[in-house]
Amino acid sequence: MFDNREKTDLNKLGEFGLIQHLTQSVEISQPTTVKGIGDDAAVLDFSGKKTLISTDLLLEGIHFDLRYVPLKHLGYKAVQVNLSDIYAMNGIASQITFSIGLSSKFPLEAVEEIYEGALIACKKFNVDLIGGDTSASAQGLVLSVTSIGYADEQNITYRSTAREGDLLCVSGDLGGAYVGLQLLEREKQIFLENPNIQPDLEGKDYIVERQLKPEARKDIIELLEALHVKPTAMIDVSDGLASEILHICKDSNVGCKLYEEKIPIDPMTYETARDFGLDPTVCALSGGEDYELLFTIPQSDYDKIKGQLDITVIGHITEPEAGRLMISKSGNVHEITAQGWNAFKK
Ligand code: ADP
Ligand code: MG
């Protein structure tokens, strides 16, 4: 699982030694952080803004497989996917806590790698690491990240406020993370059967990165602000486009029309899905883990986003009675259903 460098047993350090070691280089840069690591609780001050909090639990064997996920990427991704939830509320992420449960198979060097990735993400997204918890785990690696952010009340975007006539938009492209996962799974199987065969991921960087190293779309939040567009509703795409659209429609009590031909799919995602005998549209609808933003905007804002390469209008919001529909490339009408992750993933 790790490389050949010499390993340090965590028992040598003890819990306090480990925390001290991991957090010694942590610096605080956010004006909203009054006190970070080092007391019984961190202290924050958002002076009049609303506070946003979101938390995620990541379990080895359920959410990640260390046979192909590098630890540094794991630390990075754990932070990213959590920050994505703050951006999905149209907020500014400012702090995280990072908690970790470690089974005896993890040496210090492994934990250092996880932390390295987590701290790279903190730096990149300009958030302070302000605390966490550290414990032994009976089995497997456990990570839990909580992200904290803030927003002016009028800027917060809920899932429940899409309106009839709004345009349905998505950032980036979809399905790549799922197809990347299929590639990694295939290479893992080949490796398990014959450990002498090296993984063949040649030329597949984009989709492998979409799976291993997703990027929370803070840039889209900033872009929308610069364009003076406030989404009427927003959600991040963690479970697949279909599931997220249904969340917005249910919570807002509206219907929608989604046009299959408009769904943004990268050519590499498309071709690789085809090679696997998968329908690229299904990968986008049900794959998940793309961490793009799905949002609705008033029709009158169309001119403001028109021509933005990273934003695609994929449909519009209708009255609830019209149903939640996808118009296929051949013009057939399908009801949108969320397969959910148990139906689709292993
Ligand atoms: P307590 O016994 O009150 O839980 P700890 O000894 O666990 O205190 O933590 C001491 C300090 O170190 C706290 O500020 C806590 O937030 C921080 N801390 C503990 N584990 C981590 C971690 N994995 N990452 C960052 N900070 C941590
Ligand atoms: Mg503790």
Side-chain angles (χ1 to χ4, degrees):
M1 172 168 44
F2 317 120
D3 53 40
N4 298 323
R5 279 175 294 168
E6 212 168 295
K7 300 299 177 295
T8 314
D9 191 334
L10 281 180
N11 290 323
K12 262 200 198 154
L13 282 129
E15 185 192 326
F16 298 132
L18 175 62
I19 295 173
Q20 160 73 24
H21 180 82
L22 291 176
T23 59
Q24 60 193 356
S25 66
V26 170
E27 281 166 20
I28 295 303
S29 64
Q30 291 300 308
T32 50
T33 309
V34 179
K35 169 77 188 170
I37 293 167
D39 213 311
D40 296 309
V43 181
L44 308 178
D45 180 2
F46 292 108
S47 18
K49 309 266 186 196
K50 296 290 178 219
T51 310
L52 306 168
I53 300 192
S54 178
T55 201
D56 276 317
L57 188 56
L58 291 168
L59 306 176
E60 181 179 353
I62 305 285
H63 302 102
F64 56 88
D65 186 334
L66 289 180
R67 282 173 294 189
Y68 54 72
V69 178
L71 291 164
K72 199 161 144 184
H73 287 71
L74 182 65
Y76 186 86
K77 181 169 173 176
V79 174
Q80 290 289 318
V81 304
N82 208 256
L83 296 180
S84 176
D85 286 319
I86 301 291
Y87 300 132
M89 300 300 286
N90 204 24
I92 298 166
S94 47
Q95 288 87 12
I96 62 155
T97 64
F98 198 91
S99 299
I100 184 158
L102 296 157
S103 67
S104 55
K105 72 179 177 194
F106 293 94
L108 173 65
E109 287 72 13
V111 194
E112 281 175 344
E113 277 185 42
I114 297 171
Y115 254 75
E116 209 185 315
L119 289 175
I120 290 172
C122 286
K123 195 157 211 175
K124 179 158 184 204
F125 285 80
N126 203 15
V127 301
D128 288 345
L129 175 66
I130 55 155
D133 201 19
T134 308
S135 169
S137 134
Q139 239 189 349
L141 178 64
V142 179
L143 297 179
S144 178
V145 181
T146 297
S147 53
I148 300 154
Y150 58 91
D152 285 325
E153 184 165 13
Q154 69 272 17
N155 288 338
I156 297 177
T157 50
Y158 295 94
R159 299 173 177 185
S160 55
T161 39
R163 292 168 309 200
E164 208 182 309
D166 284 350
L167 301 174
L168 186 61
C169 307
V170 73
S171 66
D173 57 76
L174 299 171
Y178 182 76
V179 178
L181 179 65
Q182 302 315 302
L183 259 180
L184 289 164
E185 288 276 352
R186 183 185 70 190
E187 294 308 314
K188 180 182 83 181
Q189 283 312 326
I190 293 173
F191 180 78
L192 289 177
E193 281 155 31
N194 185 348
N196 296 321
I197 299 179
Q198 288 301 307
D200 178 19
L201 301 170
E202 243 333 90
K204 300 288 189 186
D205 303 18
Y206 180 66
I207 51 177
V208 170
E209 277 206 7
R210 292 290 285 169
Q211 169 58 222
L212 294 181
K213 207 170 153 290
E215 298 286 324
R217 299 308 307 258
K218 180 190 189 196
D219 60 328
I220 295 293
I221 298 305
E222 291 167 348
L223 174 64
L224 290 172
E225 193 189 10
L227 295 171
H228 302 290
V229 175
K230 181 191 176 286
T232 48
M234 185 151 58
I235 187 169
D236 67 332
V237 182
S238 51
D239 293 332
L241 180 63
S243 161
E244 317 306 357
I245 288 180
L246 291 179
H247 277 305
I248 287 187
C249 286
K250 278 195 191 112
D251 293 355
S252 301
N253 190 31
V254 292
C256 75
K257 265 196 184 141
L258 164 69
Y259 295 89
E260 182 187 10
E261 63 183 5
K262 304 278 187 204
I263 300 174
I265 298 178
D266 179 84
M268 189 188 295
T269 302
Y270 195 92
E271 282 158 30
T272 315
R274 284 272 185 239
D275 289 347
F276 273 99
L278 296 167
D279 179 342
T281 300
V282 174
C283 294
L285 286 171
S286 305
E289 291 204 283
D290 289 312
Y291 297 103
E292 294 296 341
L293 292 170
L294 174 72
F295 54 96
T296 52
I297 62 169
Q299 264 183 43
S300 54
D301 278 347
Y302 175 67
D303 281 342
K304 299 185 192 165
I305 59 133
K306 175 177 79 180
Q308 293 296 329
L309 294 176
D310 238 4
I311 298 176
T312 311
V313 178
I314 55 174
H316 60 268
I317 299 296
T318 60
E319 71 277 11
E321 296 73 30
R324 290 126 196 193
L325 307 175
M326 183 175 84
I327 319 304
S328 77
K329 287 177 187 165
S330 51
N332 292 323
V333 179
H334 302 269
E335 194 183 330
I336 299 173
T337 56
Q339 301 191 17
W341 59 275
N342 0 349
F344 207 65
K345 294 178 185 163
K346 274 168 247 139

